């Protein structure tokens, strides 16, 4: 399984993804689920993926292949005139890959299911973020949905619902996401570290801070421990339940 989050802030975008892949408890491995496409000064796009690994990697490979010689391999994500058109391109490639496998006898809603999250900025337009479904359709973030999650979302979602603010700093947003990931890792063994992140600042048009956080990272361990303590302290401060 997977857990990935893309978050819109007033001053940019924050992305985070786990790296665990598994085909059963005895076949667990690590694989990066975040891909960044960059043309400094012109565009930066971050693509997160969840679902069947062969499907998502086929999509990324096709998108990468088209960027190597965009004049000969049209359309290319590096030539899309807007984020909307880039999302359409990713959606089309995802649907094509799933349909190609479906023709062998499998159904797109089962073994080859995959969902992708695309966010970024192209010169001349604002930062935008899209959630792309395996059917090839997609939705965009807005005031009511300022962040998207894909994969195993239910354990980390309550954290985001309660604490997200669009004006929070990048540092605070990363803290919030780490708490969300910590809750998910503790509840579901199919989601695991290391955790990748990318922070993009609006109008910078270049890749921002990226990094990888291991499970034994001292800061992550501190966040996990202190969050547990804070929850216990908050529970102790609640009014007594009378029964």
């Amino acid at each position: 399984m997977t857990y990935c989050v893309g978050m819109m802030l007033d001053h940019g975008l924050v992305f985070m993804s786990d790296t665990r892949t598994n085909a059963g408890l005895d076949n667990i491995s690590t694989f990066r689920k975040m891909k960044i496409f960059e043309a400094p000064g012109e565009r930066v796009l971050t693509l997160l993926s969840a679902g069947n690994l062969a499907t998502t990697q086929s999509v990324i490979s096709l998108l990468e292949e088209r960027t190597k010689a965009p004049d000969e391999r049209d359309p290319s994500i590096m030539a899309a005139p807007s984020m909307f058109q880039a999302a359409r391109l990713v959606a089309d490639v995802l649907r094509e890959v799933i349909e190609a496998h479906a023709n062998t006898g499998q159904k797109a809603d089962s073994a080859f299911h995959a969902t992708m999250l695309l966010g970024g900025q192209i010169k001349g337009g604002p930062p935008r973020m899209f959630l792309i479904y395996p059917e090839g359709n997609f939705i965009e973030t807005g005031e009511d949905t300022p962040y998207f999650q894909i994969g195993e979302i239910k354990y980390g979602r309550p954290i985001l619902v309660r604490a997200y603010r669009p004006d929070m700093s990048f540092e605070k947003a990363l803290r919030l996401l780490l708490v969300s990931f910590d809750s998910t890792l503790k509840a579901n063994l199919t989601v695991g570290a290391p955790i990748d992140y990318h922070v993009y600042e609006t109008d910078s048009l270049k890749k921002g801070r990226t990094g990888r956080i291991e499970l034994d990272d001292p800061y992550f361990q501190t966040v996990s421990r202190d969050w547990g303590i804070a929850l216990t302290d908050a529970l102790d401060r609640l009014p007594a339940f009378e029964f």
Side-chain angles (χ1 to χ4, degrees):
M1 199 59 178
T2 295
Y3 183 42
C4 301
V5 183
M7 180 180 291
M8 296 282 294
L9 299 175
D10 289 344
H11 46 284
L13 310 173
V14 180
F15 305 90
M16 191 170 283
S17 61
D18 85 314
T19 55
R20 175 163 292 181
T21 64
N22 70 289
L25 294 177
D26 59 347
N27 187 13
I28 295 174
S29 60
T30 297
F31 210 97
R32 186 179 296 273
K33 302 169 187 176
M34 178 185 297
K35 172 66 181 177
I36 300 174
F37 298 90
E38 179 191 22
E42 200 275 327
R43 70 184 60 207
V44 178
L45 299 91
T46 302
L47 185 65
L48 306 180
S49 58
N52 180 272
L53 184 61
T55 298
T56 58
Q57 290 308 302
S58 292
V59 172
I60 292 172
S61 294
L62 286 170
L63 292 172
E64 285 184 320
E65 176 68 14
R66 293 177 181 179
T67 66
K68 294 176 182 177
D71 293 338
E72 302 175 7
R73 296 178 175 88
D74 185 63
S76 166
I77 197 170
M78 300 303 288
S82 68
M83 284 299 302
F84 179 82
Q85 292 300 328
R88 284 190 60 184
L89 172 58
V90 174
D92 289 344
V93 174
L94 176 59
R95 186 181 63 250
E96 289 169 8
V97 169
I98 291 176
E99 288 178 349
H101 288 298
N103 290 334
T104 65
Q106 295 285 354
K107 294 184 178 180
D109 61 354
S110 57
F112 303 111
H113 178 96
T115 306
M116 311 196 88
L117 195 161
L118 177 70
Q121 185 176 20
I122 295 175
K123 188 176 182 179
R128 300 174 73 178
M129 188 178 297
F130 301 88
L131 176 60
I132 303 169
Y133 296 103
E135 294 78 10
N137 54 347
F138 54 85
I139 58 175
E140 184 175 3
T141 53
E143 291 185 4
D144 295 329
T145 54
Y147 52 82
F148 286 138
Q149 302 165 276
I150 55 177
E152 189 57 80
I153 69 174
K154 56 182 176 291
Y155 302 108
R157 183 172 180 79
I159 309 297
L160 305 183
V161 170
R162 287 182 175 274
Y164 166 84
R165 298 292 183 273
D167 60 348
M168 63 174 42
S169 66
F170 285 136
E171 188 276 330
K172 190 172 183 179
L174 287 172
R175 268 189 285 157
L176 174 62
L177 288 177
L178 284 178
V179 171
S180 179
F181 271 72
D182 177 63
S183 299
T184 304
L185 265 63
K186 281 182 166 53
N188 193 315
L189 293 177
T190 66
V191 177
I195 299 167
D196 294 324
Y197 67 87
H198 175 216
V199 175
Y200 172 75
E201 185 175 357
T202 298
D203 294 331
S204 65
L205 295 174
K206 63 180 180 179
K207 183 170 68 174
R209 290 289 299 273
T210 61
R212 170 165 284 195
I213 301 170
E214 301 288 347
L215 185 62
D216 60 354
D217 180 89
Y219 178 74
F220 182 63
Q221 290 297 315
T222 298
V223 169
S224 178
R225 183 190 67 245
D226 289 358
W227 175 247
I229 293 172
L231 283 176
T232 301
D233 291 346
L235 181 63
D236 291 340
R237 291 195 301 269
L238 289 175
F241 181 74
E242 297 182 3
F243 58 95

